């Protein structure tokens, strides 16, 4: 880590932003997940929320249960001897069954032309990689994953869609994700997963967590339907 990092930045009367890194890197994840676990143990009932991101961890606490100065002291103690958590690398990657098809992935052709590849090569490039969940946000269960191979990386759409179907698998720059709910969105759609990414009746609600390793597994339309996937095209979902 940098000589000037980590550092603490105030985030209101009930939070501290812990800035661990200054650049996005998969190697950041073991440090962030280690700090998450140590905060859970140290803050106990005074902990309200932990929001990890690419390079930071927002620690939200109950100011009636713990004074801001005490929260800062605890964080400084945790950071003094923080060691990366390698345990998560032993877990099997999460697999998201994905039907790649222009009817549900309208940007597939554009990405192929941009990369001077066939659609099949774009699908292979996207699905053969293993991605790390860097952060959750934007919408409940929306996992920011990276890093997408530079050859198929693509900027966000100039005009976001008003309605993106649930399960849509997408790329933006060198990030990839799948929309857990119907929502607006400006990412490039390349397919659709049958996985239920957000469920209010599931413990933790979100299928994916920060630090998870994820693979998009290509399936046929028939298999996608068998798994409960919605094969309706973009127009039918408007």
């Amino acid at each position: 880590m940098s000589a000037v990092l980590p550092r603490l930045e105030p985030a209101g009367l009930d939070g501290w932003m812990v800035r661990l890194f200054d650049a996005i890197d998969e190697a950041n994840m073991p440090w962030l997940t280690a700090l998450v676990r140590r905060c859970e143990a140290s803050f106990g009932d005074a902990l309200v929320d932990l929001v990890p991101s690419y390079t930071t961890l927002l620690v939200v606490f109950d100011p009636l249960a713990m004074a801001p100065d005490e929260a800062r002291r605890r964080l400084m103690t945790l950071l003094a001897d923080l060691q990366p958590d390698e345990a998560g690398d032993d877990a099997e990657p999460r697999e998201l069954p994905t039907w790649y098809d222009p009817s549900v992935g309208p940007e597939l052709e554009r990405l192929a032309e941009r990369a001077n590849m066939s659609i099949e090569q774009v699908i292979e490039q996207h699905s053969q990689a293993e991605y790390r969940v860097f952060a959750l946000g934007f919408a409940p269960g929306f996992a920011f994953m990276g890093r997408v191979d530079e050859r198929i990386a693509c900027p966000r759409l100039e005009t976001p869609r008003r309605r993106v179907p649930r399960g849509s698998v997408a790329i933006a720059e060198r990030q990839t994700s799948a929309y857990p709910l119907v929502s607006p969105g400006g990412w490039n759609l390349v397919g659709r997963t049958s996985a239920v990414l957000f469920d209010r009746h599931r413990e933790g609600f979100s299928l994916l967590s920060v630090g998870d390793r994820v693979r998009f597994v290509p399936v046929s339309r028939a298999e996608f339907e068998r798994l409960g996937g919605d094969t309706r095209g973009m127009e039918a979902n408007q």
Side-chain angles (χ1 to χ4, degrees):
M1 286 186 280
S2 167
V4 297
L5 296 174
R7 68 173 179 267
L8 299 182
E9 301 169 359
L13 298 175
D14 61 351
W16 287 99
M17 179 71 77
V18 185
R19 191 167 300 280
L20 284 171
F21 302 95
D22 55 12
I24 297 173
D25 194 312
E26 185 175 329
N28 298 354
M29 286 299 101
W31 295 90
L32 284 161
T33 55
L35 185 56
V36 165
R37 271 201 277 275
R38 297 197 69 183
C39 285
E40 289 171 340
S42 178
F43 281 72
D45 292 340
L47 186 66
V48 174
D49 199 8
L50 293 167
V51 186
S53 187
Y54 294 97
T55 58
T56 63
L57 175 66
L58 174 62
V59 181
V60 182
F61 55 91
D62 181 355
L64 298 179
M66 182 180 293
D69 285 347
E70 173 60 22
R72 185 179 187 281
R73 281 193 292 271
R74 292 201 187 194
L75 287 169
M76 293 298 291
T77 299
L78 297 180
L79 291 168
D81 60 353
L82 185 66
Q83 295 296 319
D85 178 11
E86 303 294 349
D89 288 339
D90 296 333
E92 289 295 317
R94 297 273 193 177
E95 295 190 344
L96 305 184
T98 301
W99 178 41
Y100 293 91
D101 189 84
S103 66
V104 292
E107 274 72 65
L108 261 177
E109 185 175 356
R110 185 163 66 87
L111 263 66
E113 291 177 354
R114 177 185 174 90
N116 196 26
M117 293 180 174
S118 66
I119 288 178
E120 291 73 19
Q121 287 173 319
V122 171
I123 295 170
E124 181 181 7
Q125 193 66 53
H126 184 258
S127 63
Q128 71 180 1
E130 187 175 276
Y131 303 101
R132 182 77 74 167
V133 177
F134 285 112
L136 295 175
F138 167 64
F142 189 98
F144 292 85
M145 294 178 263
R147 303 186 75 191
V148 171
D149 189 283
E150 290 182 354
R151 288 170 289 181
I152 60 171
C154 189
R156 290 171 172 81
L157 301 176
E158 291 185 6
T159 303
R161 292 184 171 90
R162 294 182 179 179
R163 183 181 174 90
V164 176
R166 183 179 67 178
S168 294
V169 174
I171 292 172
E173 303 293 351
R174 297 195 64 187
Q175 300 176 108
T176 188
S177 191
Y179 286 77
L181 305 168
V182 175
S183 68
W187 290 32
N188 301 278
L189 307 187
V190 297
R192 195 174 293 172
T193 180
S194 58
V196 178
L197 300 163
F198 181 80
D199 185 348
R200 296 184 185 277
H201 302 293
R202 177 195 290 137
E203 183 178 357
F205 304 134
S206 176
L207 176 66
L208 303 177
S209 301
V210 171
D212 281 355
R213 294 181 296 132
V214 179
R215 289 188 60 244
F216 294 90
V217 180
V219 297
S220 66
R221 175 175 179 145
E223 177 66 5
F224 180 72
E225 287 184 295
R226 188 189 71 80
L227 293 171
D230 180 3
T231 60
R232 292 178 299 168
M234 296 297 296
E235 292 182 2
N237 273 278
Q238 298 305 310

